[in-house]
Amino acid sequence: MYLAMSAFGACIYLSGRSNDEVDVKSYAELNQIGERKKLLALLYQNFFNQMSCYFWMGDYIKVVELSKKHKPTGQKRILEVMRTFFEGIASLTLARHTHQPNWRKTGEEALEKMIEWEKISKWNFEMRAKLLQAELHYLNGDLKSADVAYKASIVSAREHKFTHYEALTCELYGIFCVENRMVDEGAKQLQTALDKYRQWGAMRKVKELQLFVDSVDPVYLRKLKQIKSGVPPDSADVESSCVKG
């Protein structure tokens, strides 16, 4: 029962609903129960589900901070695989933003493991390996290879029917495009990510990502550029940007 509550808590959080709507204990309460009754499986499940929530919301600092507090147990192999992927994406992103070598090392190690697992099951691990490779290429400044790897990851996620991972790959590729002055393509990918997250039911993520999408909307950016250059913005552009705002 407690394990089910832990997993359900993550679903409720990402859906944007409140725990008050259903009788589900908080992670703090579940951790207390796990420690009191020495339920190691429950404690690890809580850790993983909390990490999952942080990951999907893009709070990568909390992902790595939480990970440091919980050493791998060797149990529940599928959770360890997911943990490796979460840590890898978080670490490579942090490495790009902070230039700290320890994050790079963690990301590279995650990619090495994922490549090995891909040999066992291409269906389950190809998308993850390609996305980690894309993030590493981006970190290394190899934008052409990163672009190819992002697109390959999107295709893999789509072909293998992983809706939430297709959302993730489109989101990260969209961010990559925006950061490298491909705003139109970036906005397109981010919109696809929104659609896929909505299809998955992660409305809290949709709300958070929508704020970023609105800030990089090509029509809005063109309007700002025209205003700064002293050229009156096109009326259709103004109307479109006002509707989105």
Side-chain angles (χ1 to χ4, degrees):
M1 179 179 69
Y2 294 134
L3 291 175
M5 278 190 180
S6 179
F8 193 47
C11 294
I12 292 174
Y13 177 79
L14 290 173
S15 73
R17 297 173 61 188
S18 169
N19 278 12
D20 296 335
E21 299 179 39
V22 290
D23 186 18
V24 176
K25 296 185 182 300
S26 68
Y27 285 125
E29 292 173 319
L30 289 172
N31 279 332
Q32 289 178 350
I33 293 171
E35 291 170 357
R36 185 173 67 251
K37 297 186 176 183
K38 301 186 185 303
L39 302 175
L40 299 183
L42 175 59
L43 291 172
Y44 190 79
Q45 186 84 25
N46 279 349
F47 149 71
F48 175 79
N49 288 325
Q50 284 182 286
M51 172 185 272
S52 180
C53 289
Y54 291 144
F55 176 81
W56 288 108
M57 293 304 296
D59 197 341
Y60 294 150
I61 287 291
K62 287 186 178 179
V63 169
V64 297
E65 287 179 345
L66 185 63
S67 182
K68 289 179 181 178
K69 299 177 182 178
H70 297 269
K71 294 182 179 180
T73 64
Q75 300 177 355
K76 292 185 177 294
R77 181 174 175 81
I78 185 59
L79 297 188
E80 289 295 320
V81 169
M82 295 304 305
R83 173 183 183 161
T84 298
F85 177 69
F86 290 167
E87 289 176 344
I89 293 295
S91 296
L92 290 172
T93 301
L94 291 172
R96 193 171 71 250
H97 292 161
T98 67
H99 306 291
Q100 294 184 16
N102 56 315
W103 299 134
R104 171 188 284 275
K105 184 174 184 295
T106 300
E108 290 175 339
E109 290 174 349
L111 174 58
E112 290 175 1
K113 291 179 181 178
M114 208 60 61
I115 289 174
E116 289 301 312
W117 290 330
E118 183 185 1
K119 296 175 183 177
I120 299 173
S121 176
K122 182 177 179 181
W123 185 280
N124 288 308
F125 301 115
E126 180 185 54
M127 178 283 303
R128 298 179 177 93
K130 295 295 184 185
L131 190 56
L132 284 166
Q133 186 68 72
E135 289 292 309
L136 182 57
H137 283 316
Y138 190 11
L139 174 60
N140 290 335
D142 187 350
L143 303 186
K144 183 176 180 180
S145 295
D147 188 86
V148 171
Y150 279 121
K151 290 176 179 176
S153 182
I154 291 172
V155 170
S156 179
R158 184 172 298 149
E159 288 181 347
H160 297 154
K161 312 301 182 184
F162 291 123
T163 301
H164 54 317
Y165 283 118
E166 185 179 350
L168 176 65
T169 55
C170 288
E171 177 189 1
L172 297 186
Y173 182 43
I175 292 172
F176 166 81
C177 289
V178 169
E179 290 179 346
N180 290 282
R181 301 182 181 182
M182 296 179 286
V183 179
D184 288 314
E185 181 62 25
K188 175 184 174 182
Q189 294 298 329
L190 290 168
Q191 188 58 57
T192 300
L194 281 172
D195 294 340
K196 294 300 176 179
Y197 278 128
R198 192 175 289 110
Q199 183 180 338
W200 188 37
M203 298 310 296
R204 184 184 297 271
K205 177 65 179 184
V206 169
K207 184 177 180 180
E208 180 266 343
L209 183 58
Q210 185 68 61
L211 295 174
F212 179 68
V213 172
D214 289 343
S215 73
V216 299
D217 175 64
V219 172
Y220 178 68
L221 291 179
R222 283 196 293 271
K223 174 191 169 186
L224 287 181
K225 185 176 181 181
Q226 288 174 327
I227 292 174
K228 289 179 180 179
S229 64
V231 177
D234 180 79
S235 59
D237 284 355
V238 174
E239 181 180 356
S240 175
S241 61
C242 288
V243 170
K244 289 198 172 187

